[in-house]
Amino acid sequence: MGRTYVVEEAVGQYLSDLSTKLKPYVTGLLIGQCSSQRDYVIRAVRTPPKEEQNEININPSKLSSIDEEWVTAHASQVSRMLPGGLLVLGVFIIAAPELAKDSQNALRKLIFSVEKSVTKRRLWKPAEEEVSDRAALQVCSATKKIVCRTYDVQDPKSSAKPADWKYQSALSACWLTLDCTVNVNIHIPLLATSPNHDLEKNTKNGLNRWSKQIEDSVFLINGQVKDNDAELLEGLKKLRGNIQSSPQFSDVKVLTQLSQGSSRRSTATVQVCSGSINLKGAVKCRAYIHNNRPKVKEAIQALKRDIINTLSDRCEILFEDLIINEGLDKKNFEREYHVLPQRLFVPVAGSSVMLSDYKFRDEAAGEIQERFLEMLDQAVQAEDIHIAEEANTVDICPVTDNMDDTQQKQLTKATLLLKLQQNMGVVIAAAVAVFASIFSFNYFSD
């Protein structure tokens, strides 16, 4: 028996509107949440047209003109804007009847490309029991007929399996929200052998080690440790019948281990380093879970992944910005300060779910609105943009030439400083000139 996709009614209307506006075909992404019993689709988002794209250049006789790289790049950008619990569930194609024959082949190719694109940047691994089926939705622009199939993205030789596509009103109106603020204190050494102080690669390696600490952390939901297999709604006020009821919120505390257990033997190695990266402060994290008897482990897993993703995404966005505007290939770093983007949330009409994004301090609301319109095909009012983390004054310490030996030794301990302002979630990155090599002790467990 195939999987069942429970779909927000607004998604059906969106697909119907697209079928009348864009021809001969249009591609896009399906956004929602997986569960063991069924999957939930709460959004569909068309692939944004390229600036130079012109409809007359599309050959209506075949789908070979689909720009696979453009579709996967869009999927990567959209995945950054999804809070915990949400992911790209699949791909859709709305095509004219004469293109129906080639649609499934095109969908299959896009599904595997999109999955590869959105997973290669992740710092976490899927669980063994996790659902790996992704939806391939084919819609006829003339008859509006829908055919839904799935492919197992863990199996490159996977064949199509039939799936049910069922609409439901107010599907995510009362989903559960889990919020937490995580204190971050990460020290990442920069090896002297690293060419040009490969900041992005070193940062990712350091975050990868930190992500394992998050995976091993203890999560308190409303002050309690709950059994993984228990229902999340146990002990909470359940929502029954009235879909207009207020959504439920859970406050979560994250307890990370300060040290390894005494039963695990550790060894130390000495590495020559030219500096280090330090991440300190607090980040705002959020996850959403369906209200169909969700398990505690589903909620904790969604929140863990949001914690890891939000810090990783901010660093990634910063480095992309530096490459575009300044370049990261400078051999001699001078001390610089860069503010990493703040997290913001935007509501979705008729849903308790809010989508996420990141903004630099000099970005205006209009730029955020343009990005949501382009990436998610969603018009956003300026007053609906909720900044989750407020910026504060940053203390900038410039490099001076008249330092004594003690000051200089202290300065060489950091080649790049990323400082999240405590309780503000604003990350400051400072690149520092290297004057001498230092030794850093890294501890590895057997």
Side-chain angles (χ1 to χ4, degrees), residues 299-319:
I300 292 178
Q301 181 187 78
L303 196 55
K304 281 181 180 179
R305 292 177 178 178
D306 189 66
I307 294 169
I308 296 169
N309 288 344
T310 188
L311 190 56
S312 174
D313 287 345
R314 294 176 205 227
C315 293
E316 195 173 80
I317 292 170
L318 171 67
F319 288 124

Side-chain angles (χ1 to χ4, degrees), residues 233 235-239 248:
L233 288 172
L236 299 176
K237 181 181 178 181
K238 295 187 177 182
L239 302 176
Q248 295 191 34

Side-chain angles (χ1 to χ4, degrees), residues 126-141:
E128 291 184 3
E129 70 277 7
E130 197 156 340
V131 176
S132 58
D133 286 347
R134 295 293 180 264
L137 188 71
Q138 180 181 346
V139 182
C140 177
S141 60

Side-chain angles (χ1 to χ4, degrees), residues 55-67:
E55 287 189 4
I56 63 174
N57 294 327
I58 298 177
N59 186 350
S61 65
K62 55 185 178 180
L63 296 174
S64 59
S65 57
I66 293 177
D67 191 335

Side-chain angles (χ1 to χ4, degrees), residues 173 222 445:
N222 294 327
S445 299

